[in-house]
Amino acid sequence: MSAPPAHDHQAGLKIVGETLPHERNRVTLADERDQYGLPVARVTWSYCDNDRRLISHALGFMAQALEAAGARRCVIDSRRFRMTDRAAERVR
C-alpha cells in the first residue's frame, strides 16, 4: 500500500491588503506599439518597507491561524509569492 499524496489534507488562507501609493509606482506608455498600433503600457512598481512589513505580518498571522486550527506544517508556495526571504522567515 502506498502513502497518500502530501496534498490529501491541506488548507489555505489568503489575506488581501493594500500597498501604499508611491510616486515611483506608475503606469506609463512606452514608445513600443502593440499589434493594433497602440502604445504598450509600462508598469513600474515595487514594495516599500511598510508593504514588506504588512506582508510579513499577514504571513505570520495566517500561520498562527492555521496552527490554531491544527496545522502541523505551514508552507508558502514560492511559485505564487515572491517578495523577499524576510517575510518567509516569520512563517513556521
Side-chain angles (χ1 to χ4, degrees):
M1 177 179 244
S2 62
H7 63 274
D8 253 9
H9 298 78
Q10 68 178 355
L13 290 181
K14 179 184 273 189
I15 292 181
V16 179
E18 294 183 20
T19 59
L20 295 173
H22 291 281
E23 187 176 337
R24 69 178 178 271
N25 294 338
R26 61 183 155 285
V27 177
T28 57
L29 297 177
D31 293 333
E32 179 185 351
R33 303 273 173 167
D34 66 12
Q35 72 259 25
Y36 303 106
L38 300 171
V40 175
R42 179 185 304 134
V43 177
T44 304
W45 184 83
S46 63
Y47 291 116
C48 70
D49 288 338
N50 188 73
D51 299 332
R52 289 186 190 93
R53 286 190 301 272
L54 171 77
I55 293 167
S56 180
H57 172 77
L59 291 172
F61 182 85
M62 290 186 290
Q64 287 176 352
L66 288 169
E67 288 168 355
R72 287 182 237 133
R73 185 172 70 119
C74 295
V75 177
I76 296 173
D77 184 346
S78 62
R79 293 170 298 176
R80 293 182 182 189
F81 181 77
R82 300 189 192 283
M83 184 190 66
T84 67
D85 292 336
R86 289 178 7 183
E89 290 171 5
R90 295 212 38 195
V91 178
R92 296 172 193 59

